[in-house]
């Protein structure tokens, strides 16, 4: 087994006994499976919610694969995140129809209103902004996907209303 030197910050899931036990359990249950890397990373993303750099090192060590291979998988698939997602996720479609139909302007409006960048989460941990590829609703461009629900024809002036709807979910 390759030994790596890496620091584990106090906020990392590996620094929490419960989460570390969960990570070990996922590794133990899946390490012998074919395609173990993908299975383990998928499980960790689902159960922990994100995959940190120390977790990449830890998984590489336990599965005896290179950190580069783990990092390659984590960065290639948009399903994986390296930071916790917010309670809600807003994805902006960057497919051609949506791009031409106004997604960049919509993102600018969202950045102003939420005070955060694409790929980041608002400081209150509520909303994560992401981009995605075509979701097959091109005729409704520009499209956003909010917590897996597709919203069509979202123009910048409609965005504040959409935000209120998301926030309203909390009290519904
Ligand atoms: S390009 Fe956005 S849904 Fe197809």
């Amino acid at each position: 087994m390759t030994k790596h030197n890496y620091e584990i910050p106090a906020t990392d899931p590996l620094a929490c006994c419960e989460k570390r036990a969960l990570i070990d359990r996922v590794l133990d249950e899946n390490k012998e499976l074919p395609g173990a890397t993908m299975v383990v990373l998928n499980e960790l993303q689902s159960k922990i919610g994100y995959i940190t750099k120390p977790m990449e090192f830890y998984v590489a060590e336990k599965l005896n694969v290179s950190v580069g291979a783990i990092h390659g998988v984590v960065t290639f698939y948009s399903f994986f995140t390296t930071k916790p997602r917010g309670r809600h996720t807003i994805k902006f479609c960057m497919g051609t129809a949506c791009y031409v139909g106004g997604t960049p302007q919509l993102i600018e409006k969202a950045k102003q209103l939420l005070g955060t960048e694409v790929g980041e989460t608002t400081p209150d941990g509520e909303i994560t902004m992401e981009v995605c590829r075509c979701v097959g609703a091109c005729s409704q461009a520009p499209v956003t996907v909010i917590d897996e629900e597709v919203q069509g024809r979202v123009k910048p002036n409609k965005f504040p209303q959409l935000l209120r709807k998301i926030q309203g979910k909390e009290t519904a």
Side-chain angles (χ1 to χ4, degrees):
M1 188 187 293
T2 321
K3 273 273 171 204
H4 298 288
N5 281 328
Y6 53 94
E7 300 226 336
I8 301 175
T11 51
D12 195 275
L14 282 169
C16 159
C17 290
E18 248 172 62
K19 288 185 182 155
R20 192 180 187 118
L22 179 58
I23 293 168
D24 283 336
R25 195 157 65 242
V26 167
L27 280 159
D28 281 347
E29 285 172 2
N30 300 293
K31 67 182 178 209
E32 305 299 340
L33 295 178
T37 298
M38 200 61 185
V39 178
V40 165
L41 291 175
N42 261 311
E43 284 286 294
L44 293 181
Q45 177 68 44
S46 305
K47 295 195 158 102
I48 303 286
Y50 57 109
I51 297 170
T52 62
K53 198 78 191 156
M55 285 167 69
E56 287 183 10
F57 276 99
Y58 192 70
V59 170
E61 200 171 278
K62 298 284 179 182
L63 296 182
N64 209 13
V65 297
S66 74
V67 180
I70 300 289
H71 188 65
V73 173
V74 171
T75 49
F76 184 78
Y77 295 98
S78 60
F79 169 71
F80 296 117
T81 53
T82 54
K83 293 182 208 160
R85 274 196 169 98
R87 282 212 286 170
H88 302 291
T89 304
I90 305 179
K91 292 182 194 154
F92 298 89
C93 177
M94 284 296 255
T96 308
C98 289
Y99 185 86
V100 173
T103 293
Q105 293 83 342
L106 186 58
I107 290 177
E108 279 313 306
K109 182 74 179 182
K111 278 160 63 169
Q112 275 172 20
L113 287 173
L114 293 171
T116 193
E117 295 290 323
V118 171
E120 303 286 331
T121 300
T122 51
D124 60 4
E126 283 297 307
I127 296 174
T128 300
M129 296 211 314
E130 293 180 349
V131 292
C132 64
R133 296 188 190 143
C134 175
V135 295
C138 313
S139 63
Q140 297 182 55
V143 165
T144 60
V145 183
I146 297 174
D147 297 334
E148 307 310 319
E149 195 180 313
V150 173
Q151 305 275 339
R153 298 193 182 88
V154 185
K155 297 290 183 186
N157 62 349
K158 293 267 179 68
F159 195 73
Q161 194 184 333
L162 201 59
L163 269 186
R164 282 196 293 276
K165 200 171 147 195
I166 299 171
Q167 283 149 354
K169 278 186 184 175
E170 310 304 321
T171 51

